[in-house]
Amino acid sequence: MTKLTSKDLEVLSGLLMGEGMACKKARMYSKTLTDTALAECMGRIADCHEQRYNTLLCILEGK
């Protein structure tokens, strides 16, 4: 894998923070919504953010 530059690491760090926050918020909403369909939708959205977060982590770890 190509070595990451400091700018690459900076960008990845920002993306990680954004995906992490979006995942946490969507997960919180999925647990507090009373509409079952909306809660399930938020759960799926949280899962997507979590998957992107994990993919970004793999890039940082060089996997």
Side-chain angles (χ1 to χ4, degrees):
M1 180 175 187
T2 307
K3 186 173 178 164
L4 297 173
T5 65
S6 60
K7 183 65 177 174
D8 294 333
L9 294 173
E10 183 181 327
V11 170
L12 283 172
S13 176
L15 291 170
L16 272 171
M17 286 192 300
E19 289 296 341
M21 183 61 67
C23 179
K24 287 177 186 177
K25 285 184 176 186
R27 195 77 68 204
M28 180 194 63
Y29 294 145
S30 74
K31 293 177 182 176
T32 58
L33 287 167
T34 55
D35 183 311
T36 308
L38 285 176
E40 289 173 0
C41 182
M42 274 297 146
R44 288 190 300 275
I45 290 170
D47 293 341
C48 289
H49 284 295
E50 184 175 8
Q51 185 178 28
R52 283 191 291 273
Y53 181 89
N54 290 331
T55 300
L56 290 168
L57 269 182
C58 286
I59 292 170
L60 279 175
E61 294 170 351
K63 294 181 182 177

